[in-house]
Amino acid sequence: MNYNSSKTILQASGDPLTDMLRGLRLDGVDYGRCVLGEPWAVSFPAQKAARFHFIGQRGCWLFSPAKEWIKLSVGDALLIPRGDEHVLASAPGVPPVPIGRYTIEPVCENIYDVSNGCDGCKTLLFCGSMHFNLDGSHPLLEMMPDLMQAHKLMANAPGIQHLLDAMAGEVTMDRVGSGGILARLADVLAATIIRSWVENGCGDATGWIAAVRNPDVGKVLAAIHLQPERDWTVEALARMMGASRSAFAQRFAIVVGETPAKYVLRVRMHQARQWLTRDGMRVSVAASRLGYDSEASFSRAFKRVMGVAPSHFRNSSSEEHS
């Protein structure tokens, strides 16, 4: 799924957090159908993209980002939103081997077969990397837990079971086009996992989520995130909340923990970084799109928030695509 054809994962619902998340999109990067003979252990290094795993045949173990061993059963699916380091293994204690050292054969575009050549009992996995249209330090992704498991959300999201059943059928049958169908199902399942987590209160998350769900400030935060290019003034935001400029600024700072101007600037610079790294946008174009009079003034603001000049991300993006 490429960026231009990706669908928003949530529809407007009246809840500010849900409305904000409707702009979150997934771009499938690559997927692997893994056939692993026991004993085996695969280490997945930390990366910017999210990780997705589906257990197709025989259970296995996860050494989670929280450094805990978790037993996984056939039909389990999990999402690691920020791509933290973790291990999947046939049993705890098996020495892990980096995923890059396994035999990886391309099947079709963005789909690979992964194997370890061992003759022991076989485990069948479907694993993938997914890019969100936001970077991992954005509040929308920072608020997510390190690990999201489908079975923990199924009680309030019956659609998840249907997706798991469909994936189980595809991953265990070596049929023509199964890799592509699995990739599409994985995209939908990951989006459904996130939506169910949001609709069920985001677990025990607090802080920024509590600010978004504040009846006074939530709709203001949603508007800022949905339209980061807009020239948001304190006056305009205060009108949205129906308060005076001073009352709004004070209320916003108490709930969010920083001033409206600082928060708007941070969201805008995160958006600019996405344009530079994901889209390869020129610094001058990003500056103009955000309403800056000059590239220099934009660069100063960007460096103040991100710690480095925008050219750093622009050059990195150029190298990756060269």
Side-chain angles (χ1 to χ4, degrees), residues 128-148:
S129 291
M130 298 175 170
H131 272 299
F132 291 103
N133 64 318
L134 303 173
D135 64 75
S137 63
H138 192 286
L140 287 174
L141 292 182
E142 279 188 331
M143 71 181 182
M144 294 180 188
D146 295 335
L147 173 66
M148 303 170 76

Side-chain angles (χ1 to χ4, degrees), residues 159-170:
I160 288 180
Q161 185 60 60
H162 298 305
L163 289 168
L164 293 175
D165 291 343
M167 289 193 70
E170 291 296 335

Side-chain angles (χ1 to χ4, degrees), residues 26 47-52 79-83 128-132:
L26 295 172
Q47 64 176 28
K48 293 181 179 179
R51 294 276 191 186
F52 174 87
L79 178 68
I80 300 175
R82 289 177 296 279
S129 291
M130 298 175 170
H131 272 299
F132 291 103

Side-chain angles (χ1 to χ4, degrees), residues 142-183:
E142 279 188 331
M143 71 181 182
M144 294 180 188
D146 295 335
L147 173 66
M148 303 170 76
Q149 294 180 263
H151 75 266
K152 291 185 176 181
L153 301 167
M154 283 169 49
N156 297 302
I160 288 180
Q161 185 60 60
H162 298 305
L163 289 168
L164 293 175
D165 291 343
M167 289 193 70
E170 291 296 335
V171 80
T172 56
M173 294 185 291
D174 192 15
R175 299 179 61 187
V176 174
S178 63
I181 292 173
L182 275 167

Side-chain angles (χ1 to χ4, degrees), residues 86-206:
H86 60 285
V87 174
L88 289 177
S90 57
V94 178
V97 177
I99 182 64
R101 288 170 52 187
Y102 281 79
T103 300
I104 302 175
E105 299 289 342
V107 176
C108 58
E109 184 179 4
N110 297 332
I111 306 293
Y112 303 87
D113 271 338
V114 181
S115 63
N116 65 347
C118 294
D119 295 327
C121 295
K122 298 292 193 294
T123 301
L124 184 59
L125 310 172
F126 183 73
C127 306
S129 291
M130 298 175 170
H131 272 299
F132 291 103
N133 64 318
L134 303 173
D135 64 75
S137 63
H138 192 286
L140 287 174
L141 292 182
E142 279 188 331
M143 71 181 182
M144 294 180 188
D146 295 335
L147 173 66
M148 303 170 76
Q149 294 180 263
H151 75 266
K152 291 185 176 181
L153 301 167
M154 283 169 49
N156 297 302
I160 288 180
Q161 185 60 60
H162 298 305
L163 289 168
L164 293 175
D165 291 343
M167 289 193 70
E170 291 296 335
V171 80
T172 56
M173 294 185 291
D174 192 15
R175 299 179 61 187
V176 174
S178 63
I181 292 173
L182 275 167
R184 300 300 183 273
L185 289 171
D187 286 345
V188 175
L189 180 57
T192 304
I193 288 172
I194 294 171
R195 181 177 65 184
S196 179
W197 178 74
V198 170
E199 289 178 344
N200 287 283
C202 303
D204 58 358
T206 56

